[in-house]
mmCIF file of all heavy atoms in Angstrom:
data_model
loop_
_atom_site.group_PDB
_atom_site.id
_atom_site.type_symbol
_atom_site.label_atom_id
_atom_site.label_comp_id
_atom_site.label_asym_id
_atom_site.label_seq_id
_atom_site.Cartn_x
_atom_site.Cartn_y
_atom_site.Cartn_z
ATOM 1 N N LEU A 1045 -9.045 -3.627 -11.661
ATOM 2 C CA LEU A 1045 -9.504 -2.431 -11.072
ATOM 3 C C LEU A 1045 -10.168 -1.433 -11.981
ATOM 4 O O LEU A 1045 -10.967 -0.555 -11.585
ATOM 5 C CB LEU A 1045 -8.398 -1.681 -10.267
ATOM 6 C CG LEU A 1045 -7.718 -2.514 -9.174
ATOM 7 C CD1 LEU A 1045 -6.592 -1.785 -8.578
ATOM 8 C CD2 LEU A 1045 -8.748 -2.910 -8.080
ATOM 9 N N GLU A 1046 -9.850 -1.589 -13.273
ATOM 10 C CA GLU A 1046 -10.514 -0.683 -14.280
ATOM 11 C C GLU A 1046 -11.843 -1.066 -14.664
ATOM 12 O O GLU A 1046 -12.800 -0.299 -14.705
ATOM 13 C CB GLU A 1046 -9.548 -0.592 -15.506
ATOM 14 C CG GLU A 1046 -8.253 0.155 -15.362
ATOM 15 C CD GLU A 1046 -7.575 0.373 -16.637
ATOM 16 O OE1 GLU A 1046 -8.170 0.099 -17.738
ATOM 17 O OE2 GLU A 1046 -6.382 0.744 -16.641
ATOM 18 N N SER A 1047 -12.054 -2.386 -14.953
ATOM 19 C CA SER A 1047 -13.356 -2.879 -15.325
ATOM 20 C C SER A 1047 -14.238 -3.293 -14.174
ATOM 21 O O SER A 1047 -15.470 -3.385 -14.269
ATOM 22 C CB SER A 1047 -13.246 -4.127 -16.255
ATOM 23 O OG SER A 1047 -12.630 -5.206 -15.496
ATOM 24 N N ASP A 1048 -13.630 -3.406 -12.977
ATOM 25 C CA ASP A 1048 -14.425 -3.805 -11.839
ATOM 26 C C ASP A 1048 -13.961 -3.036 -10.575
ATOM 27 O O ASP A 1048 -13.351 -3.528 -9.703
ATOM 28 C CB ASP A 1048 -14.169 -5.372 -11.572
ATOM 29 C CG ASP A 1048 -14.835 -5.927 -10.286
ATOM 30 O OD1 ASP A 1048 -15.920 -5.420 -9.881
ATOM 31 O OD2 ASP A 1048 -14.234 -6.921 -9.762
ATOM 32 N N PRO A 1049 -14.235 -1.806 -10.548
ATOM 33 C CA PRO A 1049 -13.826 -0.980 -9.400
ATOM 34 C C PRO A 1049 -14.392 -1.353 -8.067
ATOM 35 O O PRO A 1049 -13.732 -1.036 -7.004
ATOM 36 C CB PRO A 1049 -14.263 0.485 -9.786
ATOM 37 C CG PRO A 1049 -15.357 0.321 -10.818
ATOM 38 C CD PRO A 1049 -15.034 -0.976 -11.500
ATOM 39 N N ALA A 1050 -15.497 -2.061 -8.074
ATOM 40 C CA ALA A 1050 -16.075 -2.539 -6.785
ATOM 41 C C ALA A 1050 -15.330 -3.770 -6.328
ATOM 42 O O ALA A 1050 -15.638 -4.186 -5.180
ATOM 43 C CB ALA A 1050 -17.522 -2.837 -7.000
ATOM 44 N N GLU A 1051 -14.467 -4.408 -7.088
ATOM 45 C CA GLU A 1051 -13.754 -5.540 -6.773
ATOM 46 C C GLU A 1051 -14.631 -6.716 -6.244
ATOM 47 O O GLU A 1051 -14.547 -7.313 -5.251
ATOM 48 C CB GLU A 1051 -12.713 -5.248 -5.627
ATOM 49 C CG GLU A 1051 -11.718 -4.235 -6.015
ATOM 50 C CD GLU A 1051 -10.919 -3.742 -4.899
ATOM 51 O OE1 GLU A 1051 -9.978 -4.429 -4.466
ATOM 52 O OE2 GLU A 1051 -11.259 -2.620 -4.325
ATOM 53 N N THR A 1052 -15.600 -7.056 -7.141
ATOM 54 C CA THR A 1052 -16.622 -8.119 -6.858
ATOM 55 C C THR A 1052 -16.449 -9.334 -7.818
ATOM 56 O O THR A 1052 -17.162 -10.305 -7.673
ATOM 57 C CB THR A 1052 -18.042 -7.657 -6.963
ATOM 58 O OG1 THR A 1052 -18.286 -7.073 -8.262
ATOM 59 C CG2 THR A 1052 -18.276 -6.499 -5.945
ATOM 60 N N LYS A 1053 -15.485 -9.178 -8.768
ATOM 61 C CA LYS A 1053 -15.378 -10.257 -9.757
ATOM 62 C C LYS A 1053 -14.011 -10.881 -9.596
ATOM 63 O O LYS A 1053 -12.985 -10.286 -10.220
ATOM 64 C CB LYS A 1053 -15.637 -9.753 -11.176
ATOM 65 C CG LYS A 1053 -17.067 -9.211 -11.335
ATOM 66 C CD LYS A 1053 -17.185 -8.512 -12.677
ATOM 67 C CE LYS A 1053 -18.535 -7.884 -12.842
ATOM 68 N NZ LYS A 1053 -18.667 -7.113 -14.070
ATOM 69 N N ASP A 1054 -13.816 -11.940 -8.937
ATOM 70 C CA ASP A 1054 -12.484 -12.561 -8.728
ATOM 71 C C ASP A 1054 -12.049 -13.251 -10.027
ATOM 72 O O ASP A 1054 -12.752 -14.138 -10.597
ATOM 73 C CB ASP A 1054 -12.571 -13.608 -7.598
ATOM 74 C CG ASP A 1054 -11.348 -14.352 -7.430
ATOM 75 O OD1 ASP A 1054 -10.229 -13.863 -7.857
ATOM 76 O OD2 ASP A 1054 -11.388 -15.495 -6.916
ATOM 77 N N LEU A 1055 -10.894 -12.888 -10.555
ATOM 78 C CA LEU A 1055 -10.412 -13.447 -11.826
ATOM 79 C C LEU A 1055 -9.182 -14.384 -11.622
ATOM 80 O O LEU A 1055 -8.490 -14.644 -12.586
ATOM 81 C CB LEU A 1055 -9.940 -12.238 -12.725
ATOM 82 C CG LEU A 1055 -11.058 -11.284 -13.020
ATOM 83 C CD1 LEU A 1055 -10.430 -10.054 -13.784
ATOM 84 C CD2 LEU A 1055 -12.238 -11.840 -13.805
ATOM 85 N N SER A 1056 -9.038 -14.829 -10.382
ATOM 86 C CA SER A 1056 -7.870 -15.614 -10.131
ATOM 87 C C SER A 1056 -7.852 -16.975 -10.848
ATOM 88 O O SER A 1056 -6.738 -17.500 -11.091
ATOM 89 C CB SER A 1056 -7.730 -15.885 -8.612
ATOM 90 O OG SER A 1056 -8.870 -16.561 -8.149
ATOM 91 N N ASP A 1057 -9.004 -17.457 -11.253
ATOM 92 C CA ASP A 1057 -8.944 -18.692 -12.031
ATOM 93 C C ASP A 1057 -9.184 -18.513 -13.538
ATOM 94 O O ASP A 1057 -9.374 -19.449 -14.334
ATOM 95 C CB ASP A 1057 -10.135 -19.619 -11.501
ATOM 96 C CG ASP A 1057 -9.828 -20.191 -10.095
ATOM 97 O OD1 ASP A 1057 -8.650 -20.291 -9.803
ATOM 98 O OD2 ASP A 1057 -10.794 -20.300 -9.365
ATOM 99 N N ASP A 1058 -9.152 -17.240 -14.019
ATOM 100 C CA ASP A 1058 -9.299 -16.967 -15.333
ATOM 101 C C ASP A 1058 -7.993 -17.290 -16.108
ATOM 102 O O ASP A 1058 -6.981 -16.694 -15.972
ATOM 103 C CB ASP A 1058 -9.569 -15.449 -15.592
ATOM 104 C CG ASP A 1058 -10.038 -15.099 -17.013
ATOM 105 O OD1 ASP A 1058 -9.575 -15.757 -17.946
ATOM 106 O OD2 ASP A 1058 -10.689 -14.044 -17.158
ATOM 107 N N ALA A 1059 -8.104 -18.299 -17.004
ATOM 108 C CA ALA A 1059 -6.920 -18.839 -17.756
ATOM 109 C C ALA A 1059 -6.302 -17.697 -18.634
ATOM 110 O O ALA A 1059 -5.122 -17.677 -18.842
ATOM 111 C CB ALA A 1059 -7.269 -20.041 -18.613
ATOM 112 N N ALA A 1060 -7.142 -16.854 -19.119
ATOM 113 C CA ALA A 1060 -6.656 -15.753 -19.983
ATOM 114 C C ALA A 1060 -5.699 -14.768 -19.264
ATOM 115 O O ALA A 1060 -4.907 -14.093 -19.752
ATOM 116 C CB ALA A 1060 -7.734 -14.996 -20.638
ATOM 117 N N LEU A 1061 -5.796 -14.756 -17.884
ATOM 118 C CA LEU A 1061 -5.019 -13.888 -17.046
ATOM 119 C C LEU A 1061 -3.893 -14.610 -16.304
ATOM 120 O O LEU A 1061 -3.384 -14.047 -15.274
ATOM 121 C CB LEU A 1061 -5.945 -13.063 -16.095
ATOM 122 C CG LEU A 1061 -6.926 -12.145 -16.747
ATOM 123 C CD1 LEU A 1061 -7.803 -11.503 -15.678
ATOM 124 C CD2 LEU A 1061 -6.115 -11.048 -17.539
ATOM 125 N N ALA A 1062 -3.602 -15.806 -16.695
ATOM 126 C CA ALA A 1062 -2.640 -16.618 -15.969
ATOM 127 C C ALA A 1062 -1.236 -15.871 -15.920
ATOM 128 O O ALA A 1062 -0.582 -15.833 -14.910
ATOM 129 C CB ALA A 1062 -2.506 -18.006 -16.616
ATOM 130 N N GLY A 1063 -0.934 -15.256 -17.002
ATOM 131 C CA GLY A 1063 0.320 -14.480 -17.060
ATOM 132 C C GLY A 1063 0.298 -13.266 -16.090
ATOM 133 O O GLY A 1063 1.355 -13.054 -15.447
ATOM 134 N N VAL A 1064 -0.712 -12.585 -16.074
ATOM 135 C CA VAL A 1064 -0.897 -11.501 -15.173
ATOM 136 C C VAL A 1064 -0.798 -12.010 -13.690
ATOM 137 O O VAL A 1064 -0.102 -11.396 -12.824
ATOM 138 C CB VAL A 1064 -2.228 -10.825 -15.336
ATOM 139 C CG1 VAL A 1064 -2.516 -9.752 -14.220
ATOM 140 C CG2 VAL A 1064 -2.295 -10.086 -16.695
ATOM 141 N N ARG A 1065 -1.497 -13.071 -13.394
ATOM 142 C CA ARG A 1065 -1.399 -13.574 -12.063
ATOM 143 C C ARG A 1065 -0.054 -14.041 -11.671
ATOM 144 O O ARG A 1065 0.400 -13.684 -10.588
ATOM 145 C CB ARG A 1065 -2.466 -14.810 -11.925
ATOM 146 C CG ARG A 1065 -2.512 -15.343 -10.556
ATOM 147 C CD ARG A 1065 -3.504 -16.519 -10.524
ATOM 148 N NE ARG A 1065 -3.083 -17.614 -11.315
ATOM 149 C CZ ARG A 1065 -3.745 -18.039 -12.402
ATOM 150 N NH1 ARG A 1065 -4.771 -17.339 -12.885
ATOM 151 N NH2 ARG A 1065 -3.294 -19.070 -13.113
ATOM 152 N N GLU A 1066 0.682 -14.650 -12.558
ATOM 153 C CA GLU A 1066 2.009 -15.107 -12.198
ATOM 154 C C GLU A 1066 2.936 -13.953 -12.026
ATOM 155 O O GLU A 1066 3.860 -13.987 -11.147
ATOM 156 C CB GLU A 1066 2.502 -16.077 -13.345
ATOM 157 C CG GLU A 1066 1.829 -17.398 -13.352
ATOM 158 C CD GLU A 1066 1.705 -18.075 -12.016
ATOM 159 O OE1 GLU A 1066 2.716 -18.240 -11.330
ATOM 160 O OE2 GLU A 1066 0.610 -18.472 -11.647
ATOM 161 N N ASP A 1067 2.786 -12.917 -12.849
ATOM 162 C CA ASP A 1067 3.679 -11.746 -12.675
ATOM 163 C C ASP A 1067 3.363 -11.136 -11.345
ATOM 164 O O ASP A 1067 4.393 -10.667 -10.694
ATOM 165 C CB ASP A 1067 3.432 -10.758 -13.861
ATOM 166 C CG ASP A 1067 4.384 -9.534 -13.739
ATOM 167 O OD1 ASP A 1067 5.629 -9.754 -13.866
ATOM 168 O OD2 ASP A 1067 3.878 -8.420 -13.599
ATOM 169 N N LEU A 1068 2.137 -10.960 -11.034
ATOM 170 C CA LEU A 1068 1.860 -10.343 -9.673
ATOM 171 C C LEU A 1068 2.352 -11.169 -8.461
ATOM 172 O O LEU A 1068 2.802 -10.597 -7.467
ATOM 173 C CB LEU A 1068 0.368 -10.056 -9.543
ATOM 174 C CG LEU A 1068 -0.191 -8.910 -10.367
ATOM 175 C CD1 LEU A 1068 -1.672 -8.744 -10.299
ATOM 176 C CD2 LEU A 1068 0.514 -7.532 -9.980
ATOM 177 N N TYR A 1069 2.296 -12.461 -8.673
ATOM 178 C CA TYR A 1069 2.918 -13.357 -7.589
ATOM 179 C C TYR A 1069 4.388 -13.031 -7.485
ATOM 180 O O TYR A 1069 4.911 -12.896 -6.330
ATOM 181 C CB TYR A 1069 2.729 -14.817 -7.997
ATOM 182 C CG TYR A 1069 1.500 -15.461 -7.452
ATOM 183 C CD1 TYR A 1069 0.531 -16.136 -8.264
ATOM 184 C CD2 TYR A 1069 1.196 -15.470 -6.160
ATOM 185 C CE1 TYR A 1069 -0.584 -16.764 -7.808
ATOM 186 C CE2 TYR A 1069 0.039 -16.128 -5.614
ATOM 187 C CZ TYR A 1069 -0.855 -16.717 -6.538
ATOM 188 O OH TYR A 1069 -1.956 -17.340 -6.013
ATOM 189 N N ARG A 1070 5.061 -12.904 -8.578
ATOM 190 C CA ARG A 1070 6.472 -12.633 -8.616
ATOM 191 C C ARG A 1070 6.741 -11.242 -7.936
ATOM 192 O O ARG A 1070 7.664 -11.125 -7.152
ATOM 193 C CB ARG A 1070 7.027 -12.605 -10.034
ATOM 194 C CG ARG A 1070 8.539 -12.418 -10.095
ATOM 195 C CD ARG A 1070 8.985 -12.440 -11.520
ATOM 196 N NE ARG A 1070 8.379 -11.407 -12.338
ATOM 197 C CZ ARG A 1070 8.837 -10.092 -12.344
ATOM 198 N NH1 ARG A 1070 9.876 -9.713 -11.593
ATOM 199 N NH2 ARG A 1070 8.276 -9.214 -13.122
ATOM 200 N N GLN A 1071 5.942 -10.295 -8.258
ATOM 201 C CA GLN A 1071 6.074 -8.957 -7.638
ATOM 202 C C GLN A 1071 5.806 -8.997 -6.180
ATOM 203 O O GLN A 1071 6.456 -8.318 -5.360
ATOM 204 C CB GLN A 1071 5.126 -7.909 -8.280
ATOM 205 C CG GLN A 1071 5.358 -7.752 -9.818
ATOM 206 C CD GLN A 1071 6.616 -6.984 -10.096
ATOM 207 O OE1 GLN A 1071 7.250 -6.445 -9.180
ATOM 208 N NE2 GLN A 1071 7.015 -6.836 -11.391
ATOM 209 N N LEU A 1072 4.850 -9.804 -5.740
ATOM 210 C CA LEU A 1072 4.516 -9.959 -4.314
ATOM 211 C C LEU A 1072 5.685 -10.551 -3.552
ATOM 212 O O LEU A 1072 6.049 -10.102 -2.520
ATOM 213 C CB LEU A 1072 3.283 -10.754 -4.130
ATOM 214 C CG LEU A 1072 2.827 -10.968 -2.678
ATOM 215 C CD1 LEU A 1072 2.575 -9.739 -1.986
ATOM 216 C CD2 LEU A 1072 1.531 -11.890 -2.561
ATOM 217 N N VAL A 1073 6.279 -11.568 -4.153
ATOM 218 C CA VAL A 1073 7.481 -12.190 -3.542
ATOM 219 C C VAL A 1073 8.591 -11.131 -3.393
ATOM 220 O O VAL A 1073 9.219 -11.045 -2.379
ATOM 221 C CB VAL A 1073 7.994 -13.424 -4.385
ATOM 222 C CG1 VAL A 1073 9.357 -13.908 -3.827
ATOM 223 C CG2 VAL A 1073 6.872 -14.485 -4.251
ATOM 224 N N GLN A 1074 8.835 -10.276 -4.400
ATOM 225 C CA GLN A 1074 9.802 -9.236 -4.322
ATOM 226 C C GLN A 1074 9.491 -8.265 -3.184
ATOM 227 O O GLN A 1074 10.383 -7.902 -2.365
ATOM 228 C CB GLN A 1074 9.907 -8.457 -5.629
ATOM 229 C CG GLN A 1074 10.549 -9.246 -6.739
ATOM 230 C CD GLN A 1074 12.001 -9.571 -6.452
ATOM 231 O OE1 GLN A 1074 12.337 -10.728 -6.239
ATOM 232 N NE2 GLN A 1074 12.864 -8.556 -6.490
ATOM 233 N N TRP A 1075 8.203 -7.891 -3.042
ATOM 234 C CA TRP A 1075 7.857 -7.119 -1.914
ATOM 235 C C TRP A 1075 8.105 -7.766 -0.533
ATOM 236 O O TRP A 1075 8.507 -7.152 0.419
ATOM 237 C CB TRP A 1075 6.441 -6.598 -2.064
ATOM 238 C CG TRP A 1075 6.286 -5.346 -2.872
ATOM 239 C CD1 TRP A 1075 5.852 -5.267 -4.182
ATOM 240 C CD2 TRP A 1075 6.646 -4.033 -2.505
ATOM 241 N NE1 TRP A 1075 5.890 -3.936 -4.619
ATOM 242 C CE2 TRP A 1075 6.389 -3.153 -3.609
ATOM 243 C CE3 TRP A 1075 7.149 -3.415 -1.319
ATOM 244 C CZ2 TRP A 1075 6.611 -1.814 -3.505
ATOM 245 C CZ3 TRP A 1075 7.370 -2.096 -1.238
ATOM 246 C CH2 TRP A 1075 7.059 -1.220 -2.382
ATOM 247 N N LEU A 1076 7.706 -8.987 -0.456
ATOM 248 C CA LEU A 1076 7.937 -9.680 0.789
ATOM 249 C C LEU A 1076 9.396 -9.752 1.132
ATOM 250 O O LEU A 1076 9.726 -9.693 2.342
ATOM 251 C CB LEU A 1076 7.347 -11.095 0.744
ATOM 252 C CG LEU A 1076 5.808 -11.146 0.664
ATOM 253 C CD1 LEU A 1076 5.326 -12.564 0.301
ATOM 254 C CD2 LEU A 1076 5.170 -10.638 1.871
ATOM 255 N N LEU A 1077 10.228 -9.909 0.155
ATOM 256 C CA LEU A 1077 11.730 -9.874 0.407
ATOM 257 C C LEU A 1077 12.121 -8.473 0.857
ATOM 258 O O LEU A 1077 12.927 -8.319 1.773
ATOM 259 C CB LEU A 1077 12.493 -10.255 -0.801
ATOM 260 C CG LEU A 1077 12.357 -11.714 -1.279
ATOM 261 C CD1 LEU A 1077 13.030 -11.951 -2.611
ATOM 262 C CD2 LEU A 1077 12.961 -12.686 -0.221
ATOM 263 N N ARG A 1078 11.572 -7.475 0.247
ATOM 264 C CA ARG A 1078 11.895 -6.094 0.579
ATOM 265 C C ARG A 1078 11.564 -5.727 2.020
ATOM 266 O O ARG A 1078 12.204 -4.960 2.758
ATOM 267 C CB ARG A 1078 11.257 -5.101 -0.430
ATOM 268 C CG ARG A 1078 11.622 -3.647 -0.116
ATOM 269 C CD ARG A 1078 11.150 -2.740 -1.271
ATOM 270 N NE ARG A 1078 11.765 -1.426 -1.157
ATOM 271 C CZ ARG A 1078 11.955 -0.621 -2.165
ATOM 272 N NH1 ARG A 1078 11.638 -0.986 -3.375
ATOM 273 N NH2 ARG A 1078 12.455 0.579 -1.949
ATOM 274 N N VAL A 1079 10.331 -6.192 2.511
ATOM 275 C CA VAL A 1079 9.866 -5.867 3.845
ATOM 276 C C VAL A 1079 10.394 -6.766 4.874
ATOM 277 O O VAL A 1079 10.049 -6.578 6.073
ATOM 278 C CB VAL A 1079 8.368 -5.706 3.829
ATOM 279 C CG1 VAL A 1079 7.853 -4.709 2.772
ATOM 280 C CG2 VAL A 1079 7.704 -7.089 3.646
ATOM 281 N N ALA A 1080 11.211 -7.741 4.544
ATOM 282 C CA ALA A 1080 11.963 -8.507 5.593
ATOM 283 C C ALA A 1080 12.866 -7.527 6.352
ATOM 284 O O ALA A 1080 13.511 -6.703 5.735
ATOM 285 C CB ALA A 1080 12.769 -9.596 4.918
ATOM 286 N N ASP A 1081 12.888 -7.604 7.717
ATOM 287 C CA ASP A 1081 13.439 -6.513 8.405
ATOM 288 C C ASP A 1081 14.909 -6.482 8.390
ATOM 289 O O ASP A 1081 15.570 -7.483 8.702
ATOM 290 C CB ASP A 1081 12.942 -6.590 9.864
ATOM 291 C CG ASP A 1081 13.071 -5.298 10.640
ATOM 292 O OD1 ASP A 1081 13.597 -4.321 10.062
ATOM 293 O OD2 ASP A 1081 12.711 -5.279 11.802
ATOM 294 N N ASP A 1082 15.514 -5.342 8.177
ATOM 295 C CA ASP A 1082 16.973 -5.219 8.167
ATOM 296 C C ASP A 1082 17.522 -4.972 9.593
ATOM 297 O O ASP A 1082 18.680 -4.969 9.844
ATOM 298 C CB ASP A 1082 17.462 -3.965 7.338
ATOM 299 C CG ASP A 1082 17.131 -4.162 5.845
ATOM 300 O OD1 ASP A 1082 17.041 -5.380 5.413
ATOM 301 O OD2 ASP A 1082 17.063 -3.172 5.159
ATOM 302 N N LEU A 1083 16.580 -4.686 10.536
ATOM 303 C CA LEU A 1083 17.007 -4.425 11.943
ATOM 304 C C LEU A 1083 16.893 -5.653 12.755
ATOM 305 O O LEU A 1083 16.161 -6.625 12.509
ATOM 306 C CB LEU A 1083 16.079 -3.331 12.537
ATOM 307 C CG LEU A 1083 16.150 -2.003 11.843
ATOM 308 C CD1 LEU A 1083 15.129 -1.043 12.490
ATOM 309 C CD2 LEU A 1083 17.534 -1.364 11.803
#
């Protein structure tokens, strides 16, 4: 979002960002667990 505020450059296959991608996957899973309904 800093270098590409228009969000036109997909970096999902960028090997240099593999660690970033995996960490965000982990964070997304945590959020999906959090929004599982308690009711």
